[in-house]
Amino acid sequence: MQESADVVIVGSGMGGATLAYGLAQRGVDVLVLERGHRLPKEPENTSPEAVFVEKRYKPNDTWYTVDGTPYAPGVHYVVGGNTKVYGSSLPRLRERDFEETVYPTAVSPAWPFSYAELEPYYVQAEHLYNVHGAPGPDGGDTPPFEPWRSAPYPYPALAHEPYVAETLRRLSEQGVHPATTAMGVDLRPGGRCIRCGTCDGFPCRWDAKSDAEICALEPAIATGRVRLIEGAYVDRVETDASGRIARAVGHVDGEPLEVSGRVFALSAGAANSAALLLRSGVANSSGLIGTRYMVHNNSHIAAIDPRRTNNVVFQKTACVNDFYDDMGDGFPGGTLQCIGKVQASMMKTHATRAPLSVLKPMAARSMEWLVMTEDTPDPANRISLDSQGRITVTWTRTNYDRHELMLAKARELLKGAGYVAIFEQRFDISMNSHMCGTAAGGEDPRESVLDRNCRSHDVDNLYVVDSAFFPSSGAQNPALTIAANALRVAETIPA
Ligand SMILES: Cc1cc2nc3c(=O)[nH]c(=O)nc-3n(C[C@H](O)[C@H](O)[C@H](O)COP(=O)(O)OP(=O)(O)OC[C@H]3O[C@@H](n4cnc5c(N)ncnc54)[C@H](O)[C@@H]3O)c2cc1C
């Protein structure tokens, strides 16, 4: 298959689909190449057994640790990328996240632009992805733990169900200020969400989750300026005699694929964009492609109060950001967020030896949380290719002392709220859903792969517009920032 387009985008996830949308608004001719197909709408979408036990929507892909151990990475190769199963929590990073942050044992570097520069695009992204939220604690207007905003959230914050509200009351009694989580679900008046209870980690059969396919790619295609080829795997990009990218080369459904274009934007996700660049042997004068791989320091908590039955349907409405900027010792902590209600069969994927007869009453009395703190970029943590071209990940935790403190704080708060048993699951190398940083942006070509507008320092028609660009990870969910940045970059690509 031979194709051409003005702008060729590789990958249709949060970065690629949003970039396509932004370019379509400017009338640019865009072709999106996506290795996956559309995720089917079927009864299994809402089955915990199908999604979490049988891993129905996970690709048959294997990455390797540096000592050669194979593992299944946390990726989804479908139209819309990882957003088809994401939890659609869509907060902004904070002003401080764009500046250098010094921790006791690590430094988080500054971004090449400020929060103020990205802020108008956060507003656009919140509208594109139908975000519900409120800036202050408990839906109020005073924003002590959120950054300033030039426009209100497009939709009001989601209401807490009674079980969640009672837990938040107990947390408030301990002096913290629980807030509502910024969420991309279609709970507008007449919206598509039916509150099915399977959202976080599941695909949405009703197109009610604000994923990249539904909110950005489909509207982009509807303009008539954006085309999509599904099942199109891009192996590499190739240069012409001048050193500019001339074509993307790969295969579609077993047939060779060659696509020429004026501009090429890689949005294959932090690991695959880096792997694609390494395979292509371009844009790496800094030697940094693949390095500074970050994933956040994340842990899940299941907190059990045997006296209360948790009958919640939509649990992911609350967060505690009191310790984001300061844990009381002058250094930042992170965030504590409710996650979607975890069912017994989902618990079994980790508590493999526990019988369902034990897990079911536990799940009925537990509330689940995510503790997220910042990891910092380390050149030794990296994506590389082994001798067979397979993705190899070198990863050790960074800045983890802050995570330990934040976990201890979360345990203390939850115990104070009446939870007598607290189970933790620290994310391992395979739980890389928040990966970023492998083609970092910056002003200095010796210290970064991309410039401030995600353009390669080396090759002037090559862009990387996904989470690979992040110079540091902050400690908030990344997707809204990826989208806002893609809208910003869309305005800079020459038409
Ligand atoms: C279970 C889960 C829950 C999550 N919850 C949240 C949340 O609540 N909030 C949040 O902010 N983030 C969440 N995330 C993370 C979020 O989904 C990602 O940060 C975001 O999707 C990354 O965007 P991206 O554009 O970098 O990559 P992706 O969205 O993953 O898109 C990459 C795309 O490129 C395609 N691709 C890869 N290689 C190639 C190739 N060689 N050729 C062609 N196409 C290719 C892939 O198939 C994919 O479609 C979650 C992730 C998971 C897995």
Side-chain angles (χ1 to χ4, degrees):
M1 183 187 280
Q2 291 207 325
E3 288 284 344
S4 70
D6 202 18
V7 178
V8 179
I9 298 177
V10 180
S12 67
M14 200 57 160
T18 314
L19 179 67
Y21 178 89
L23 290 170
Q25 303 309 301
R26 292 178 52 211
V28 179
D29 163 49
V30 177
L31 178 59
V32 180
L33 304 174
E34 167 54 54
R35 73 191 286 172
H37 290 276
R38 295 205 190 250
L39 196 147
K41 290 197 182 100
E42 54 187 7
E44 287 86 348
N45 291 165
T46 51
S47 158
E49 288 74 20
V51 176
F52 285 89
V53 182
E54 295 155 21
K55 303 187 191 314
R56 185 173 179 84
Y57 304 111
K58 291 286 290 278
N60 184 17
D61 195 15
T62 306
W63 296 357
Y64 295 83
T65 65
V66 73
D67 61 7
T69 308
Y71 69 92
V75 289
H76 295 79
Y77 298 149
V78 290
V79 174
N82 263 355
T83 68
K84 287 308 286 184
V85 298
Y86 80 158
S88 64
S89 163
L90 293 173
R92 300 177 176 200
L93 288 177
R94 301 344 197 202
E95 293 105 309
R96 178 185 56 72
D97 291 319
F98 294 83
E99 298 158 9
E100 181 179 276
T101 301
V102 177
Y103 288 98
T105 62
V107 175
S108 160
W111 289 42
F113 50 83
S114 65
Y115 173 81
E117 208 170 325
L118 194 59
E119 202 280 337
Y121 303 97
Y122 270 134
V123 174
Q124 289 180 32
E126 284 170 346
H127 278 85
L128 189 59
Y129 286 93
N130 300 323
V131 180
H132 291 253
D138 268 343
D141 291 330
T142 325
F145 311 121
E146 283 217 11
W148 62 268
R149 49 175 50 249
S150 62
Y153 279 99
Y155 298 102
L158 302 186
H160 307 303
E161 292 184 31
Y163 180 93
V164 175
E166 172 57 19
T167 301
L168 300 184
R169 191 189 63 72
R170 295 174 181 206
L171 291 174
S172 303
E173 279 178 358
Q174 299 171 72
V176 293
H177 304 83
T180 48
T181 299
M183 291 295 299
V185 285
D186 192 0
L187 279 162
R188 299 172 289 181
R192 287 175 283 201
C193 180
I194 61 161
R195 295 183 84 98
C196 65
T198 54
C199 190
D200 200 354
F202 293 82
C204 181
R205 218 170 140 189
W206 294 274
D207 290 344
K209 176 149 71 181
S210 296
D211 67 47
E213 179 194 16
I214 300 306
C215 292
L217 190 64
E218 282 306 317
I221 291 172
T223 64
R225 299 180 194 110
V226 174
R227 291 167 289 147
L228 167 71
I229 304 182
E230 295 176 42
Y233 175 82
V234 176
D235 181 56
R236 62 191 186 281
V237 288
E238 293 179 347
T239 52
D240 60 18
S242 72
R244 304 184 90 224
I245 306 299
R247 68 194 77 84
V249 176
H251 52 80
V252 55
D253 295 332
E255 297 296 321
L257 170 73
E258 194 176 300
V259 181
S260 56
R262 183 178 60 83
V263 169
F264 292 80
L266 307 188
S267 302
N272 279 297
S273 285
L276 205 165
L277 287 170
L278 291 171
R279 285 196 298 269
S280 308
V282 296
N284 203 13
S285 66
S286 65
L288 290 172
I289 290 176
T291 69
R292 303 180 183 171
Y293 174 73
M294 293 169 279
V295 288
H296 276 148
N297 288 323
N298 283 335
S299 295
H300 280 154
I301 285 181
I304 297 174
D305 179 348
R307 292 153 300 200
R308 293 169 67 209
T309 300
N310 184 357
N311 52 4
V312 72
V313 175
F314 199 98
Q315 182 170 267
K316 196 171 180 172
T317 56
C319 55
V320 175
N321 284 321
D322 290 60
F323 310 106
Y324 197 81
D325 279 337
D326 188 350
M327 287 212 66
D329 60 0
F331 294 101
T335 180
L336 174 64
Q337 296 177 351
C338 300
I339 58 172
K341 181 72 193 97
V342 173
Q343 303 182 31
S345 53
M346 293 155 72
M347 286 181 168
K348 188 141 179 71
T349 60
H350 298 288
T352 45
R353 279 183 289 185
L356 269 178
S357 55
V358 172
L359 293 176
K360 275 186 179 159
M362 270 177 72
R365 289 165 183 80
S366 78
M367 183 171 184
E368 298 80 17
W369 298 82
L370 174 67
V371 175
M372 190 190 314
T373 57
E374 183 167 20
D375 56 346
T376 47
D378 181 338
N381 282 344
R382 64 184 304 164
I383 301 292
S384 53
L385 301 175
D386 70 8
S387 56
Q388 296 168 61
R390 305 179 306 189
I391 291 181
T392 300
V393 180
T394 311
W395 178 70
T396 49
R397 295 183 166 115
T398 56
N399 203 25
Y400 209 66
D401 49 335
R402 303 312 290 171
H403 193 66
E404 297 284 9
L405 283 175
M406 193 60 204
L407 268 175
K409 182 62 79 178
R411 276 194 299 268
E412 180 192 318
L413 284 169
L414 290 167
K415 285 197 170 150
Y419 292 92
V420 295
I422 304 220
F423 296 94
E424 291 167 9
Q425 181 202 13
R426 291 160 193 247
F427 281 25
D428 63 21
I429 194 169
S430 69
M431 300 171 82
N432 57 323
S433 55
H434 289 187
M435 63 182 164
C436 64
T438 53
E443 303 291 0
D444 183 348
R446 291 163 306 178
E447 293 296 326
S448 53
V449 175
L450 307 171
D451 71 10
R452 67 190 335 269
N453 293 329
C454 294
R455 177 153 77 168
S456 158
H457 286 299
D458 298 348
V459 184
D460 73 3
N461 70 338
L462 176 65
Y463 292 73
V464 182
V465 191
D466 57 24
S467 61
F469 168 77
F470 282 28
S472 55
S473 67
Q476 295 286 346
N477 320 57
L480 188 78
T481 302
I482 299 169
N485 185 52
L487 293 170
R488 184 185 70 88
V489 171
E491 288 184 1
T492 71
I493 292 180

